[in-house]
Structure formats: C-alpha cells, structure tokens
Amino acid sequence: MIDRTIKRTNFKNSFINKKIIQPVISNEENLVLIFFILIIAVVTAILPKFRTIYNILTVIRQFSLITIAAMGQSIVLISGGFDLSIGNIVALSNMAVAYMMVFLGWPIWLSVIAATLVGALCGLINGVLVAKVKINPLIATLAMGWIYSGVILVSSKGWPITGLPKAFDVFGQGYFLGIPLPIYFMVFIGIILSLFLSRTVFGRYLYAIGGNEKASILAGLNSSNLRMLSYTICGTLAGFAGVVLVSRMGTAQADAGTPWTLPTVAAAVIGGVSLFGGKGKIYGVIIGSAILGVISNILVLMKVSAYWQSLISGFILIMAVSIDAIRRRGQLI
Amino acid sequence: MLLEVKNINKAFPGVQALDEVSFILNEGEVHALVGENGAGKSTLMNIISGVFKPDSGEIKINGNKIEINSPKHSLKLGISMIYQEISLVPELSIAENIFIDKIPRIKSSPLVDWKKLYEDTSRVLEKVKLAKNPKDKALNLSVGQQQMIQLAKAIARDSKIIILDEPTASITEADTKILFEIIQKFKSEKKSIIYISHRLEEIFNIADRVTVLRDGKYIETLNIKDTNKDEIISKMVGRYLKNMFPDRNAKLGNDILRVNGLTKESMLENVDFNLREGEIVGVYGLMGSGRTELALALFGVYPIDSGDIFINNKKVKIKSPRDAMRLGIGYLSEDRKDKSIFPILNVKENITIANLNKYKGILFINNKKEIEESKRFIEKLSIKVSSFGQKIMNLSGGNQQKVIVSRLLAVAPKILILDEPTRGIDVGAKAEIHSFIENLTENNVAILFISSDLPEVIGISDRIIVMRENTIAGIFPGNQQTDEETLLRAASPN
Ligand SMILES: Nc1ncnc2c1ncn2[C@@H]1O[C@H](COP(=O)(O)OP(=O)(O)OP(=O)(O)O)[C@@H](O)[C@H]1O
Ligand SMILES: [Mg+2]
C-alpha cells in the first residue's frame, strides 16, 4: 500500500520533470537565457543607474563588436575548429583600414571593404593551413596570430594611426533612431548567421563536419572546403569588427582587439557552443557575450575596481561549463 | 542464483525503456537476452553494469541487495560488460587497454612494471587466440579484434558475470567460433554469461535459457531445450513472421559495374568482377580478407593504384566519395559509431544530410519537405523514435542503423555497396530491409552486399563473391544453391 503511493508520486514528479523541466533545461541556450534574465532582474532591482536607457545602450554598444567576433569564433567552433588568431585579425584589419585611408588616401567605402577582405584573407589562410595542410587548428592559428600581429608591428613599429576622416566616425559612433549603429551591425549579422546556420545547406554541413568528420566525408561532403569556409567567415567577421572598432575609438592602435581572442571563446562556450564541435546557436552566443558585457558594466557602476572583472568572468565561465558537465553526469557515455 | 534483478523501471525522455523488468541469472549458465531493436536489452545491461541508474527496482547478487553506482563499482562486484559500441583507447597499447584500471606496479612504487604487464597481457591474449604484440597500439585493430581485447579484459579481471552485447554483430565465423569456445570455457569455470544477439541460430548453439523482452517489458524466460526459433520470434515481435528472404523478381539487365585488375597496395590485388542491373552480389570473406577495402576503393576512400572501373561500360575515375556519389554509387559503412552517425544531430538531420540539396528552396532548406521524407523512411523501416528531433545517439543500436540505411536510400543511388547493412538489426527489421533491397533491385538498382552472416549472404544473393587475402577466391551461385561449408572453405586460408 505504502509502496504504491510512493510510486505514484514518483511518477508524477518524473512526469513534470520529463514534460516540463527537461525540455527547458536540456536546451543549453534556454538555460543561459534564464541565467541572463536573472542577472538583469537582480541588477535592475538593486542598481537604479543600470536601468537608464542610456546606460543600457552603452552596454550593448560596448559588447556589440566583440560579439560579432564571437559569432565568427562560434562558426569555427561548431565546425570542429578553433581560432586563436581572431584577436590579431581584428587588430590587423583595424590598422589596415586606417592605413588605407590615411596613408593611401583611399575613399572610405573602399577602405572599409578592403580591410574587411584583409580579415577574410587571414581567415582563408588559417583555413588552408588547417583543412588542406592539415595542421592542428590550435597550433596553426596560434602561429598565424603571431604572424598577423608581427605584420602590424613590423610595418607600424607599434605607432597608432591617427587623423582619420571625420565622416568615417559614423560606423562606430553614429546613431539611427537613437540607437548606436554597432548595435544594428551586431543584430543584423546575428540574424543572417542564425539563418545561415539553421536554415541553409551549408550551415547544416558545418554542424555535420563538426559532429563527425569521417561520417561527413562518407556522406559526400567536401569537408576540407567547408572547413576553409568556416575560417573565412570567421576572418571576415573579425575584419569587419576591427574596422568598426577603429571608427569608434577614433584612432587605430596596434594592439586593438588583440585581447579578444579568449573572451570570444568564452562567450561562445557560455552560450552553449561545444568545444568539441557540432553544437551551438548564434542567439546563445549573443547572450553569452551579453552576460560578460553586463557583468563588466555592473562592476563599473558599483565602482568595483576593474581588477575584479577577470576574476568574475572566470567564475562565470566555470559555472557555465559546470552546468553542462553536471547535466551530462547522469549519462556516463 | 547469482544475479537477480527485480521490477526495474527506466525512462528516458519520451520513452519508457524498461517497464517492471525482472530476471534471474544462474551460476554457470549462458543466458540469452533477445528482443527487437529498442526493446531495452542494452538499457537493462547498462543498468547492471552501472552505466545507468534505474528509476526504481532492485538488484541482488547472491541474495544481497546492492546498489550499483558506476561501471567501476560493477567491475568490482565481478561484472564485466562487453559493449555493443566498442570503446578502446586508440593511442594506448593493447596491454594498457586490457589492464587500464589495474596496471601492475614495481613493488608499491608508482612505476609501471612493464615486464609483468606485457607477460600478463600475452597470457590473456593467448586465451582469446589473438596473435598480437601487447605493445601494439589499439589503433589499428579491426572491430573483431577489439572485441577479443574486451574479452581478454574480462578474463584478466576474472569476472564472475560477463555480459556480451551483440558480440557477433561485427565479427566473422572464424572469430565467432573462437568466441563460443571461450564462452564454453567460462561456463566450465562456473562463470555466468548474459548473451545478447539478434542471430537466433547462435542462441540455440550456445545458450541454456533465453529471456525475451518486448517494448521494455519482460515477456518470458524459456529453456532452450523446450523451445524453437519460431516461438522465440513470435514472442519477440508479437506476431508471426513469414519469410526471412524475399522472392527474387528483379530482371537482370546489363553490366552496370565492371572492375578489371583492381589493385591497391597491401589492400587489394587484381580484383575482377561485374555487377548487373537489378542484381544482388554478396561478398563474403573473413576478417581482413579485403571485403571492406574493396568497398572503400570503389567508393573513392582509397583511390586505386591500378586497374579499371567501368560504369555502364564507361571508364571512370573515382578519387573521392563525392566522385563516387556523383556516379550513382552509395556506400554504407560497417562502422556505425565512428563513420556513420552524426551523434548530436537529430534523426531527421541524419537522414537527409547526404542529399540536402534536394530539400533546398531558393535559399533555405524546406523543413516541411525534409520532415515528410524522414517520415516516409521512419514508417517504411519502422524506426523507433520518439520524435524527429530526437538525437540519434539516444536511439538503440539497431534503430541507428535503420536511420543510416534511410540516409543512403534517400540518395537513390544506382549502385549500392552495403557493408554489413543488417548488423545489429532485429529479425523483423532484417526481413524488412531484405525486402526493401529486393524492391530496389526491381527498379534496376544493383547491390553489392557485404556480410559476414553466412545464412544471410546465401539467402539474399544472386551470386556470391568470396574474398581471401585481398583478392577474389571464387564466385559462387546464390539463392540457396551454395552451402555454408563451401563458402567457409573457400574463404579460409589453406
Ligand atoms: N541515452 C538514451 N537517451 C534516450 N533514450 C534512450 C537512451 N538509450 C536508449 N534509449 C531508448 O530506450 C529504448 C531501449 O533502447 P536499448 O538500447 O536498450 O534497445 P536494445 O534492445 O538494446 O535495441 P538494439 O537491439 O537495437 O540494440 C529505445 O527506445 C531507445 O531509443
Ligand atoms: Mg542494444
């Protein structure tokens, strides 16, 4: 008798578990979203300054560029790769766009396009090394990262480039309908990439080569071309982020964007992208990046010293991966 | 009684994998466990070996109630499981793989006693009749050899209960024989064996009792002596099954594939054969005879060194799987886990990946079309899934195989190379796949059917190619006209 009642309640619990809680928490992106909403809720409650539209827009603008790079990183991660040169590509295109305008006197539109293509070219080179020459992606992109940054340092001797045309400011500092342009860039690129990954044939192929490369070859996919494609997309996005970065800063610094490399990986992983490839969604990456951005803003508003930021970001990263690890714990294999 | 499981329940999202299952394993018996794909066999064994925790129910060993926490714990209790999907560490040596959790040390220092390790390994390797150097990496072992390594592991640990999950699904007759000898030896040492298989002939060969599961429920335990194949099948599928092999109605057409002097260093030597439209040619051979290499060469994975391939009398060059697919060749790999499935993609995505372009609109994949096509296959092959969105890695082994077969059929190739297509598939589904293949041939598709299941090769093929030592040892008539003995003799080295 007692046995039966226990069993029944068990059943009910497990029913709620299976039908309602499971689907929500079995989806990483949902989990991050919940976490993000929690943070926002707490912060708006205790920090009135956070609530101002002005502050919110500033925060979003601040993380929008690194998010664009993080989306590129995710594309590479999803297809089973890794890009350790992404920060250096940002720096290279940031110097390139300034150089083209200031020293070569190219028109703005041409320089913007050409510098973005410099990023694309870097990505393509990474892709060739990884997919054709078959160098381990960590090593290939680490080395290429040094080379990209070497190119900058050798040619600029570390000097910043100033004196950019006034009209160029609009990309990083302009507004449309009261909202900063970089936010539009992030949202627009996010939507395009989301559609690309979830709805197009090539998007699906990237998940496939990341999930099981041998199987993808036997299914007739050209895995090495796809892999090059993923690195090229990543380089292009990093290149574009670099261009907008100069516009926002007003000068091109030799090391601008260089520290972004690992944060882009962190944003992706917090957002549910798997380091083993085959898994991840763009909206998760945006939230992952937003979490890091909001936290740093909170610290500023609370007048906590900037030194704390890396400490806290580290904790969040550990937390994000732990949640994933814990969720997997029931299923040993 | 040695092991007793009682009223075990286990649910996964969307399915009750085990529903109040009980069964008893006696000392010194070989206990077969049968059921359709997805019946819950592997899940039950995974519970006994500590991989999964049951939702409820109890496990007793020698009358003592026990909660098994982990595979390690289960090993300690004297239970060894040989998994359906093999798992060795490729970069470690054979010796390290066997003794992975109890590498011998010099005295009690942290230093490895390599000499003892290799000696112990040689000793157990001898017991499983595997002539390999203990220092070799596990990397290059074939599926069958890997299985032997796992058995060696169980012997090294002196486990009292040994669970074999479809051990013969991927090994040849010769190895099956060795395996059965080892099992008999275990029996004489009073060890108990749980034996899962879809090959019922084997069960009559080796088991003392058989337990049938269906849809996660316990059906019955029978003494092998008091039952027969048809009774077991009807209990498994809940209905009567007519014919394992379909009648052949296909009309043979022209040569669609002709191969002359195919050679690839250390893999293939001077292979000649032809394949006609609508024909099923079986390929039989022992492990390492070159069967799979032949398939991979034709599919462009190992481009050939010399020789000619003609398709429809036109000479072709096949340098990659893409080339092969463009020429209308389809290939099903024997290695499901490593080379076929996309574990984290869902069922639908796994079915459509090889010809996604077919479902493409102007820019985007047409989700509706994709779903319709997947549905068609899921119904046609009765694949057991809870939804299209289910990840393929959460399906039972046989259902995964059916998904991969669907992927291949979705491409609609003219020449199909099937490497162990019914590996791990239950009797009912096997018959379905056979008749499906026969249907294809009625539409002029030509089939190269590689299998190490002799009755199957003999039953389904029009002709049978026997391979030995990287070349063709003989070509025999099919349709039950050649007996197992003849084929086995042709395949064995003199
Ligand atoms: N990790 C998992 N997550 C979700 N569902 C699972 C998981 N493992 C198994 N299942 C489901 O549980 C059911 C039983 O699967 P199980 O692997 O035990 O079948 P089986 O009898 O071994 O079949 P086969 O003969 O095909 O190997 C199936 O419906 C399967 O889809
Ligand atoms: Mg199974």
Side-chain angles (χ1 to χ4, degrees):
Chain A
M1 186 59 213
I2 293 171
D3 247 42
R4 282 189 80 114
T5 29
I6 290 177
K7 214 176 145 213
R8 189 143 349 114
T9 44
N10 260 345
F11 175 76
K12 208 166 142 202
N13 276 340
S14 76
F15 179 80
I16 293 176
N17 240 318
K18 301 264 143 67
K19 287 273 139 82
I20 300 162
I21 300 178
Q22 272 279 355
V24 175
I25 65 161
S26 71
N27 180 329
E28 231 139 288
E29 288 79 16
N30 290 345
L31 264 185
V32 222
L33 185 59
I34 293 170
F35 181 61
F36 181 59
I37 292 172
L38 275 179
I39 298 182
I40 298 290
V42 172
V43 183
T44 37
I46 59 171
L47 271 180
K49 261 187 265 169
F50 182 84
R51 274 196 293 258
T52 61
I53 295 281
Y54 173 77
N55 181 57
I56 290 175
L57 288 179
T58 315
V59 178
I60 305 181
R61 183 175 69 179
Q62 230 150 41
F63 69 72
S64 59
L65 296 186
I66 193 168
T67 306
I68 292 174
M71 292 191 269
Q73 184 71 268
S74 321
I75 301 262
V76 171
L77 289 173
I78 285 171
S79 51
F82 213 104
D83 189 351
L84 282 181
S85 70
I86 191 167
N88 307 103
I89 299 181
V90 173
L92 185 60
S93 81
N94 128 96
M95 289 300 271
V97 75
Y99 183 84
M100 290 164 187
M101 289 184 297
V102 175
F103 295 113
L104 301 182
W106 290 5
I108 293 175
W109 64 269
L110 181 62
S111 311
V112 168
I113 293 174
T116 305
L117 288 180
V118 167
L121 180 70
C122 295
L124 181 64
I125 296 172
N126 289 342
V128 169
L129 292 176
V130 173
K132 297 283 177 193
V133 189
K134 301 210 186 297
I135 306 178
N136 173 298
L138 289 178
I139 303 301
T141 57
L142 178 66
M144 285 317 295
W146 285 342
I147 292 176
Y148 301 143
S149 108
V151 169
I152 300 172
L153 292 175
V154 168
S155 54
S156 72
K157 311 238 161 22
W159 289 96
I161 302 175
T162 52
L164 307 174
K166 200 85 206 97
F168 179 66
D169 289 351
V170 64
F171 290 98
Q173 299 173 30
Y175 284 80
F176 178 67
L177 302 177
I179 296 174
L181 283 186
I183 299 181
Y184 287 100
F185 295 147
M186 171 181 79
V187 172
F188 180 71
I189 292 174
I191 292 174
I192 300 280
L193 287 181
S194 255
L195 288 173
F196 170 74
L197 281 176
S198 63
R199 306 283 305 277
T200 71
V201 171
F202 282 110
R204 180 77 60 80
Y205 284 170
L206 295 186
Y207 285 103
I209 62 169
N212 185 344
E213 182 159 27
K214 288 182 203 165
S216 73
I217 294 171
L218 287 182
L221 310 193
N222 191 331
S223 78
S224 66
N225 282 359
L226 288 164
R227 199 164 290 290
M228 290 198 301
L229 174 73
S230 75
Y231 280 97
T232 309
I233 293 175
C234 178
T236 312
L237 292 175
F240 181 70
V243 169
V244 184
L245 182 64
V246 193
S247 165
R248 202 180 81 204
M249 296 307 195
T251 54
Q253 301 283 347
D255 62 351
T258 316
W260 287 6
T261 299
L262 293 179
T264 60
V265 177
V269 170
I270 292 174
V273 176
S274 164
L275 285 179
F276 304 105
K279 186 160 153 279
K281 295 207 174 77
I282 290 296
Y283 93 86
V285 179
I286 297 181
I287 300 170
S289 189
I291 289 176
L292 292 175
V294 166
I295 299 263
S296 92
N297 177 249
I298 295 170
L299 296 180
V300 172
L301 293 181
M302 289 171 66
K303 304 204 167 58
V304 177
S305 127
Y307 301 131
W308 279 86
Q309 191 180 329
S310 79
L311 195 85
I312 293 186
S313 302
F315 271 121
I316 291 184
L317 183 55
I318 292 287
M319 229 168 72
V321 264
S322 311
I323 291 172
D324 181 41
I326 290 167
R327 210 155 35 71
R328 264 201 305 247
R329 200 151 60 183
Q331 53 188 79
L332 277 161
I333 298 181
Chain B
M1 172 231 332
L2 181 61
L3 172 78
E4 182 180 7
V5 298
K6 227 166 131 184
N7 301 356
I8 298 271
N9 284 295
K10 175 77 188 173
F12 293 113
V15 8
Q16 187 72 31
L18 292 175
D19 185 356
E20 297 285 316
V21 172
S22 307
F23 102 108
I24 291 175
L25 178 70
N26 293 327
E27 194 179 71
E29 79 164 336
V30 178
H31 196 124
L33 191 60
V34 300
E36 287 184 293
N37 295 132
K41 305 178 295 290
S42 298
T43 306
L44 182 59
M45 293 306 112
N46 278 324
I47 285 174
I48 296 175
S49 67
V51 174
F52 294 140
K53 288 211 175 66
D55 297 340
S56 66
E58 60 181 43
I59 299 175
K60 286 183 182 168
I61 294 182
N62 292 325
N64 301 321
K65 204 176 145 184
I66 268 168
E67 201 166 305
I68 300 175
N69 302 320
S70 65
K72 207 170 160 185
H73 185 198
S74 156
L75 269 175
K76 251 212 192 118
L77 292 168
I79 304 172
S80 269
M81 172 143 172
I82 283 116
Y83 291 95
Q84 189 172 11
E85 307 287 356
I86 295 141
S87 39
L88 294 182
V89 188
E91 283 297 326
L92 291 185
S93 69
I94 290 177
E96 286 164 303
N97 265 294
I98 292 178
F99 287 93
I100 194 152
D101 58 343
K102 46 177 219 177
I103 302 248
R105 309 278 168 78
I106 296 175
K107 306 243 159 66
S108 49
S109 75
L111 299 175
V112 175
D113 187 345
W114 293 104
K115 192 159 158 269
K116 181 164 162 36
L117 176 64
Y118 293 137
E119 277 170 14
D120 287 354
T121 305
S122 302
R123 200 164 39 75
V124 288
L125 283 184
E126 206 169 295
K127 286 203 177 140
V128 296
K129 306 211 161 81
L130 196 64
K132 282 271 166 196
N133 186 337
K135 294 177 191 168
D136 286 355
K137 280 187 185 171
L139 189 67
N140 297 319
L141 295 174
S142 72
V143 184
Q145 290 167 336
Q146 294 187 31
Q147 201 132 55
M148 291 300 168
I149 300 287
Q150 295 207 66
L151 265 177
K153 230 163 145 171
I155 294 176
R157 289 204 183 79
D158 196 26
S159 299
K160 294 285 172 272
I161 298 174
I162 293 147
I163 303 172
L164 296 151
D165 195 352
E166 296 189 41
T168 54
S170 45
I171 65 177
T172 49
E173 306 285 317
D175 286 305
T176 305
K177 240 167 108 186
I178 298 177
L179 176 72
F180 285 1
E181 281 167 23
I182 297 171
I183 292 179
Q184 291 296 356
K185 183 124 188 302
F186 282 160
K187 240 180 97 168
S188 67
E189 292 165 1
K190 288 261 168 262
K191 294 178 175 173
S192 307
I193 289 103
I194 301 177
Y195 189 92
I196 301 180
S197 179
H198 288 295
R199 297 183 176 177
L200 298 179
E201 305 89 23
E202 292 175 359
I203 287 168
F204 285 90
N205 225 324
I206 189 115
D208 303 307
R209 294 196 298 158
V210 53
T211 291
V212 182
L213 294 184
R214 183 166 79 229
D215 288 332
K217 293 192 189 63
Y218 169 86
I219 301 295
E220 199 170 347
T221 300
L222 300 157
N223 280 323
I224 284 292
K225 286 195 300 272
D226 310 332
T227 182
N228 58 48
K229 203 168 143 189
D230 288 339
E231 185 185 5
I232 294 181
I233 293 179
S234 68
K235 292 219 184 315
M236 276 169 63
V237 297
R239 65 194 143 84
Y240 249 95
L241 208 69
K242 300 186 299 287
N243 217 341
M244 270 316 284
F245 302 109
D247 294 331
R248 297 282 288 128
N249 298 319
K251 278 206 205 64
L252 300 193
N254 301 325
D255 279 2
I256 187 164
L257 174 73
R258 198 148 42 79
V259 165
N260 279 340
L262 212 62
T263 298
K264 167 92 189 165
E265 207 201 319
S266 75
M267 290 185 186
L268 292 173
E269 243 168 78
N270 241 328
V271 172
D272 299 326
F273 72 92
N274 67 329
L275 180 64
R276 297 170 62 182
E277 283 174 336
E279 190 180 30
I280 302 177
V281 170
V283 180
Y284 177 75
L286 302 183
M287 212 186 321
S289 60
R291 316 171 290 179
T292 295
E293 286 73 8
L294 174 62
L296 291 177
L298 289 174
F299 197 60
V301 177
Y302 300 142
I304 53 174
D305 296 338
S306 63
D308 299 316
I309 302 173
F310 299 88
I311 289 182
N312 286 323
N313 284 322
K314 256 189 25 220
K315 196 171 151 175
V316 295
K317 282 223 152 49
I318 305 176
K319 291 208 191 97
S320 69
R322 280 167 75 75
D323 289 352
M325 286 175 76
R326 251 184 247 122
L327 292 164
I329 303 177
Y331 170 65
L332 178 80
S333 166
E334 62 173 339
D335 192 343
R336 178 170 58 227
K337 187 181 179 191
D338 193 45
K339 302 200 181 74
S340 292
I341 65 167
F342 295 100
I344 31 193
L345 295 190
N346 65 32
V347 170
K348 180 195 73 179
E349 291 161 343
N350 264 286
I351 291 179
T352 57
I353 188 76
N355 65 335
L356 258 188
N357 278 316
K358 190 172 136 194
Y359 313 100
K360 203 178 81 170
I362 301 162
L363 271 180
F364 297 136
I365 301 169
N366 182 336
N367 200 27
K368 228 176 97 198
K369 251 178 154 174
E370 230 191 329
I371 289 182
E372 269 166 26
E373 181 85 344
S374 318
K375 223 187 209 144
R376 196 165 68 83
F377 282 110
I378 286 172
E379 277 162 18
K380 208 160 194 163
L381 299 181
S382 37
I383 307 177
K384 215 174 146 193
V385 296
S386 53
S387 76
F388 301 115
Q390 192 175 9
K391 293 199 176 113
I392 193 173
M393 67 180 180
N394 290 340
L395 296 186
S396 78
N399 281 305
Q400 290 183 5
Q401 183 74 347
K402 291 187 194 175
V403 171
I404 307 301
V405 170
S406 308
R407 175 196 300 165
L408 195 56
L409 296 177
V411 187
K414 298 303 291 171
I415 301 171
L416 249 184
I417 307 173
L418 304 172
D419 202 349
E420 306 282 1
T422 59
R423 176 179 161 195
I425 287 190
D426 68 57
V427 272
K430 226 180 218 175
E432 281 163 36
I433 287 196
H434 289 158
S435 80
F436 207 79
I437 290 174
E438 145 69 19
N439 274 337
L440 286 174
T441 60
E442 284 174 28
N443 295 318
N444 293 332
V445 177
I447 313 266
L448 206 57
F449 192 102
I450 305 175
S451 173
S452 45
D453 185 343
L454 271 175
E456 181 177 46
V457 180
I458 293 170
I460 196 156
S461 317
D462 298 320
R463 284 185 297 150
I464 302 164
I465 294 177
V466 174
M467 296 206 56
R468 185 178 72 209
E469 290 160 1
N470 302 338
T471 190
I472 292 183
I475 299 184
F476 300 85
N479 299 325
Q480 313 284 3
Q481 291 173 46
T482 309
D483 58 13
E484 297 191 15
E485 207 33 58
T486 314
L487 293 181
L488 200 51
R489 205 161 332 111
S492 312
N494 309 314

